[in-house]
Structures are given as C-alpha cells and as structure tokens.
Amino acid sequence: DTEVTQTPKHLVMGMTNKKSLKCEQHMGHRAMYWYKQKAKKPPELMFVYSYEKLSINESVPSRFSPECPNSSLLNLHLHALQPEDSALYLCASSQAGQGYEQYFGPGTRLTVT
Amino acid sequence: QQQVKQSPQSLIVQKGGISIINCAYENTAFDYFPWYQQFPGKGPALLIAIRPDVSEKKEGRFTISFNKSAKQFSLHIMDSQPGDSATYFCAASITSGTYKYIFGTGTRLKVLA
C-alpha cells in the first residue's frame, strides 16, 4: 500500500469555525509533513513530524495546529483562519526525515469565507 | 543559496516530441534530486530521482541528466504524450543534518495531440 489518504477532499469554513484535516498512511513511514499549495505555486512546507515528534515548524501562524496521534495519522487543526489561507493542503510521508521520496496525498481543498 | 531555479515556466510540445525541463541549484550540500509530476487537483507524485554519484538515470520515457560541476539537472521526457500534460516540480534535498527539501517553481507542460 503506497497510498496517503486525506479527508475531507473539500472544506469550506468561515473565519470563526474550527475544523480539522486528517491524513493517514500505512507504509510504515516515520516522517510526515503538511504542505500548503497555492495555485500555480510549488508546495510550501508547514510542518514536519519525525518519529511522531514535531521537528520543524516553518513559522506557521498559530491558527494552524498540527497533531500526530500515532505513526500512521497526522491531523491539522484549523481555527480562526483568514481568506488568504484558502489553498490546497497536502499531506506527505517518507521513510525517514529527509533525502527520501515523499509520497503525497491528494490534498484537501480549503476555502475560507 | 537555498533556491532551486526551474525553467521554463511553461512548455508546449508536440506529441512524440522531447520535453526538457531544467533546474539549477547553488547549495553544494544538496545530495538528492527528485522530480514530481502533479495533475490538476491532485497531489504531486514522485516521478524519478537521482543522487549526485551518477550523471544520468532513466526510467521508461523519463531521464534525469545531472551535471554536478554546473550544479544543474534536467528532466527529459521522450516521446511525449498528451497524458504527460501536467505540472512538473524539481526538488533538491540534503540527506543529513539540517532539514532541507526545496522545490523548484514548477513547469506547466502541455503536450499537443
């Protein structure tokens, strides 16, 4: 199984809402990532979890809160987002922290109204 | 020094032609160079990757050429097909030490039938 799954596929939320994005992989990968991708732009790294511990936070605003409940799951909790946060949110996993192929999920298309 | 410069921004190729996308980097610590293919509304998918101890790697119709002295690498798509129409991202990573996984700006390829 070389699949990374993400739910939901689409999400529309108001600026006062609280929602969560979910990501799951069953490849035994020990590194998981959250990326944000705007249209016609490359993925922009947000967070890296290595062995279930947050190892990198790319100065992401606190309205984004990541969580790694176990080695297969990754969540991104959203609260009080801004319209400019509308984007495709991608989850990825890899065998280890770096220098390995990253396997991406299909993403969650988030629209903040 | 952390950037990966990718060109061209967009590319139109006739069916059966060769598509060539180039990337250049400055940081000589990069030692892993993957290419990703992304279709609209989907996450990036790893296409092919190379490490600097080889100058070329071929997988099917896809070839990476790597020039370590020039700090450049390129993706060649032979016999391009309309189904290859997608956005292609190069990336560069450091496999040990400080985490670095930098994506290029992307190339939108359109293969005409």
Side-chain angles (χ1 to χ4, degrees):
Chain A
D1 183 3
T2 58
E3 191 178 21
V4 176
T5 59
Q6 289 188 244
T7 56
K9 289 185 178 180
H10 301 275
L11 178 62
V12 179
M13 61 185 290
M15 290 189 284
T16 58
N17 291 160
K18 285 185 180 181
K19 297 286 184 182
S20 296
L21 308 184
K22 297 184 184 301
C23 173
E24 189 167 4
Q25 58 89 13
H26 293 288
M27 294 178 277
H29 289 170
R30 302 313 302 268
M32 296 186 75
Y33 311 79
W34 280 115
Y35 286 89
K36 172 183 177 180
Q37 188 177 30
K38 290 280 202 178
K40 301 183 182 181
K41 297 291 185 182
E44 180 183 334
L45 183 67
M46 300 175 70
F47 303 103
V48 179
Y49 272 85
S50 181
Y51 292 87
E52 297 145 61
K53 294 191 186 306
L54 182 64
S55 60
I56 293 177
N57 176 342
E58 291 285 1
S59 302
V60 178
S62 60
R63 57 185 183 268
F64 295 92
S65 175
E67 178 195 20
C68 189
N70 60 55
S71 60
S72 300
L73 293 174
L74 188 65
N75 297 322
L76 186 63
H77 303 297
L78 314 173
H79 173 56
L81 296 191
Q82 303 297 309
E84 60 264 29
D85 296 323
S86 298
L88 181 68
Y89 287 84
L90 295 161
C91 173
S93 70
S94 69
Q95 201 171 38
Q98 56 197 35
Y100 292 91
E101 297 83 352
Q102 293 193 9
Y103 292 83
F104 284 83
T108 293
R109 175 70 61 187
L110 174 67
T111 303
V112 181
T113 60
Chain B
Q1 197 183 28
Q2 303 303 335
Q3 285 184 331
V4 177
K5 296 180 180 179
Q6 184 172 346
S7 62
Q9 188 174 17
S10 62
L11 180 61
I12 298 176
V13 174
Q14 293 289 336
K15 179 181 175 181
I18 302 173
S19 304
I20 301 174
I21 304 171
N22 301 299
C23 285
Y25 63 97
E26 295 181 0
N27 188 343
T28 55
F30 288 134
D31 57 359
Y32 175 70
F33 303 90
W35 283 90
Y36 289 87
Q37 178 190 56
Q38 186 175 25
F39 293 105
K42 304 291 185 183
L46 180 73
L47 201 55
I48 187 172
I50 198 168
R51 296 186 189 272
D53 52 344
V54 296
S55 60
E56 186 174 284
K57 183 175 182 179
K58 184 176 181 180
E59 289 185 3
R61 296 185 294 109
F62 300 93
T63 300
I64 298 179
S65 297
F66 184 81
N67 186 329
K68 188 173 181 179
S69 60
K71 292 184 283 187
Q72 296 175 347
F73 57 109
S74 59
L75 176 69
H76 295 235
I77 305 175
M78 312 300 286
D79 187 27
S80 298
Q81 300 296 313
D84 297 330
S85 298
T87 299
Y88 292 81
F89 293 100
C90 64
S93 176
I94 300 174
T95 56
S96 62
T98 304
Y99 180 87
K100 283 288 181 285
Y101 206 106
I102 310 297
F103 283 86
T105 49
T107 296
R108 300 182 76 186
L109 171 66
K110 183 171 184 177
V111 181
L112 302 176

